[in-house]
Amino acid sequence: MAVTKLIGEGWTNKEIAEELYLSIGTVKNYLTQILQKTGFRDRTQLAIYAVKHHIADD
């Protein structure tokens, strides 16, 4: 959920990794898993979803 929130706020993989104390590879893996589970094609669709559903606001 934290990765989705930060993507919704427009953060890059590098920024997310630094904020959450993860490697960039781990962030990429999390993003891939999120996209597979949600059926979104890319991070842009995920970001739009996060904004529309107020995930990025929390």
Side-chain angles (χ1 to χ4, degrees), residues 12-18 22-30:
T12 66
N13 288 350
K14 182 181 179 192
E15 293 169 334
I16 293 169
E18 290 172 357
L22 302 169
S23 72
I24 294 174
T26 299
V27 173
K28 288 179 181 181
N29 287 338
Y30 285 170

Side-chain angles (χ1 to χ4, degrees), residues 5-58:
K5 176 186 182 302
L6 296 174
I7 287 173
E9 293 176 1
W11 292 42
T12 66
N13 288 350
K14 182 181 179 192
E15 293 169 334
I16 293 169
E18 290 172 357
E19 177 71 14
L20 300 178
Y21 303 102
L22 302 169
S23 72
I24 294 174
T26 299
V27 173
K28 288 179 181 181
N29 287 338
Y30 285 170
L31 179 55
T32 298
Q33 291 173 4
I34 292 166
L35 294 176
Q36 287 176 344
K37 289 179 181 182
T38 59
F40 295 136
R41 286 178 303 197
D42 55 35
R43 71 187 294 130
T44 303
Q45 286 185 327
L46 179 60
I48 291 168
Y49 176 86
V51 170
K52 281 186 176 181
H53 291 88
H54 306 287
I55 296 169
D57 297 341
D58 295 340

